[in-house]
Amino acid sequence: MSNSLFSLAFGVGTQNRDGAWLEVFYAQPLLNPSADLLNAVAPVLQYSEGNQAIAFTPSQARTLADALKGVDATQAALLTRLAESTKPLVATLLATDAAPTSTPEAYLKLHLLSHRLVKPHSLNLSGIFALLPNVAWTNQGAIDLSELPAEQLEARLRGKLLEVFSVDKFPKMTDYVVPAGVRIADSARVRLGAYIGEGTTVMHEGFVNFNAGTAGPGMIEGRVSAGVFVGKGSDLGGGCSTMGTLSGGGNIVISVGEGCLIGANAGIGIPLGDRCTVESGLYVTAGTKVVVLDDQNQRVQVVKARELAGQSDLLFRRNSQTGAVECKTNKTAIELNEALHAHN
């Protein structure tokens, strides 16, 4: 058995009537746990190697708690509480960051992101959609869709209402973790697996998908799709504000640097450097033809937007007369940046 793990977590979750996992809650997931911790839990769980999700009983939870008292007091305390559970328990051990092969493994990786233990697009999430069952998220927890009608009837017969908040593969992040130092106006618009950095505000119309997020501080008023990571806001107080759409997905990573502004109803399909601005209503994709202007507003060349990817201090706008997408140096941003460095 190896003396190291990529990740380890003890969880409590929900299964359907056939024993299939619907979701798992990991209160305190660990990244790169100590060898002492692994050596203490492996005999109890009969773990030898590889990536495994191992169901365990409340009695085993008490045994694990005793084994960890001198190794990790926090995990020992958690296991003491898990020993009181009437819901199914699972220990998920990941020897490597390989593609997940079970629902508990998939949920652990989503937890690692939302607990800020790893950054978006740094985990192997291949095949995760197939491992996340589509369930009804209700005021009584996750319910298998095939079992929902019977549960609704049962609730009515008891004079209760079973309220279905959503039908989705992903739950709300805030039902599993609320990171420190954030404001989220509508929690339904942030999925588990989102990385919400300290100092971030997600406004009512903001949306942050899994495997995406913001380093903070900043304000999200638009959509941040999978694969997008928004950098920290400016030290001058401007922050990084996104009111439009930031689209990633697949193997594409759309990073947004510090102090950027994506205007209302705007969007990007390329990474941005620091202090860039995309005017309201403008969507810049990788293939968008962009007229590059000099400081006298004279045309220099026409390029595809991907050739400007990652550059700082750029202003993207649409010419109101010709409709052409233009890019010029964001002079104000440069001046502010120079002033900041001079002050420091």
Side-chain angles (χ1 to χ4, degrees), residues 271-274 276 307-314:
L272 296 180
D274 298 334
C276 291
E307 297 180 46
L308 302 172
Q311 297 188 34
S312 299
D313 301 307
L314 299 180

Side-chain angles (χ1 to χ4, degrees), residues 247-267:
S247 300
N251 295 319
I252 302 172
V253 183
I254 304 297
S255 60
V256 178
E258 300 179 4
C260 292
L261 171 63
I262 312 297
N265 299 315

Side-chain angles (χ1 to χ4, degrees), residues 278-313:
V278 180
E279 75 166 12
S280 298
L282 177 60
Y283 203 115
V284 181
T285 67
T288 299
K289 291 186 177 180
V290 181
V291 178
V292 179
L293 305 177
D294 62 19
D295 57 1
Q296 302 298 316
N297 290 328
Q298 298 300 309
R299 177 185 296 217
V300 176
Q301 59 180 328
V302 177
V303 300
K304 290 187 176 181
R306 64 171 59 92
E307 297 180 46
L308 302 172
Q311 297 188 34
S312 299
D313 301 307

Side-chain angles (χ1 to χ4, degrees), residues 16-330:
N16 65 12
R17 293 170 185 168
D18 295 327
W21 288 100
L22 300 181
E23 57 85 39
V24 183
F25 170 69
Y26 299 104
Q28 296 165 355
L30 296 173
L31 188 67
N32 301 318
S34 69
D36 290 341
L37 190 151
L38 174 58
N39 292 332
V41 305
V44 181
L45 298 174
Q46 298 184 346
Y47 169 79
S48 57
E49 61 183 2
N51 294 359
Q52 294 188 43
I54 303 173
F56 64 100
T57 65
S59 175
Q60 288 175 302
R62 286 188 286 271
T63 302
L64 286 166
D66 291 338
L68 290 181
K69 283 182 178 177
V71 179
D72 190 320
T74 300
Q75 294 295 318
L78 170 62
L79 284 158
T80 299
R81 295 304 312 277
L82 291 178
E84 304 169 7
S85 176
T86 59
K87 301 286 285 184
L89 304 173
V90 63
T92 301
L93 302 92
L94 302 181
T96 63
D97 179 26
T101 59
S102 67
T103 299
E105 289 180 37
Y107 264 83
L108 175 52
K109 291 202 168 186
L110 296 178
H111 276 71
L112 292 176
L113 285 159
S114 290
H115 276 270
R116 301 176 183 158
L117 295 175
V118 295
K119 295 289 182 65
H121 233 275
S122 65
L123 289 176
N124 186 343
L125 300 178
S126 300
I128 192 170
F129 282 97
L131 298 172
L132 297 174
N134 193 31
V135 303
W137 301 99
T138 78
N139 58 333
Q140 295 183 21
I143 298 179
D144 189 294
L145 290 179
S146 66
E147 300 169 6
L148 181 62
E151 294 292 340
Q152 289 173 316
L153 175 60
E154 182 65 26
R156 292 285 182 167
L157 294 176
R158 298 195 311 268
K160 304 291 185 180
L161 173 64
L162 179 61
E163 184 175 0
V164 179
F165 301 120
S166 68
V167 178
D168 196 4
K169 287 177 172 286
F170 291 84
K172 295 187 294 186
M173 181 191 76
T174 52
D175 284 348
Y176 293 79
V177 56
V178 178
V182 304
R183 294 169 56 205
I184 301 174
D186 184 350
S187 60
R189 299 183 67 82
V190 181
R191 279 176 155 180
L192 181 65
Y195 182 111
I196 309 298
E198 187 166 2
T200 298
T201 296
V202 183
M203 297 299 287
H204 292 81
E205 296 304 317
F207 172 80
V208 187
N209 209 341
F210 84 104
N211 202 28
T214 170
M219 179 175 291
I220 305 298
E221 296 186 76
R223 180 168 62 88
V224 182
S225 67
V228 174
F229 191 61
V230 182
K232 293 183 178 180
S234 167
D235 291 334
L236 295 176
C240 182
S241 175
T242 65
M243 294 176 283
T245 301
L246 284 70
S247 300
N251 295 319
I252 302 172
V253 183
I254 304 297
S255 60
V256 178
E258 300 179 4
C260 292
L261 171 63
I262 312 297
N265 299 315
I268 58 170
I270 61 169
L272 296 180
D274 298 334
R275 301 171 302 277
C276 291
T277 298
V278 180
E279 75 166 12
S280 298
L282 177 60
Y283 203 115
V284 181
T285 67
T288 299
K289 291 186 177 180
V290 181
V291 178
V292 179
L293 305 177
D294 62 19
D295 57 1
Q296 302 298 316
N297 290 328
Q298 298 300 309
R299 177 185 296 217
V300 176
Q301 59 180 328
V302 177
V303 300
K304 290 187 176 181
R306 64 171 59 92
E307 297 180 46
L308 302 172
Q311 297 188 34
S312 299
D313 301 307
L314 299 180
L315 167 63
F316 291 91
R317 68 186 189 188
R318 188 176 294 279
N319 188 298
S320 60
Q321 293 182 321
T322 66
V325 177
E326 299 177 338
C327 178
K328 62 178 298 184
T329 300
N330 191 346

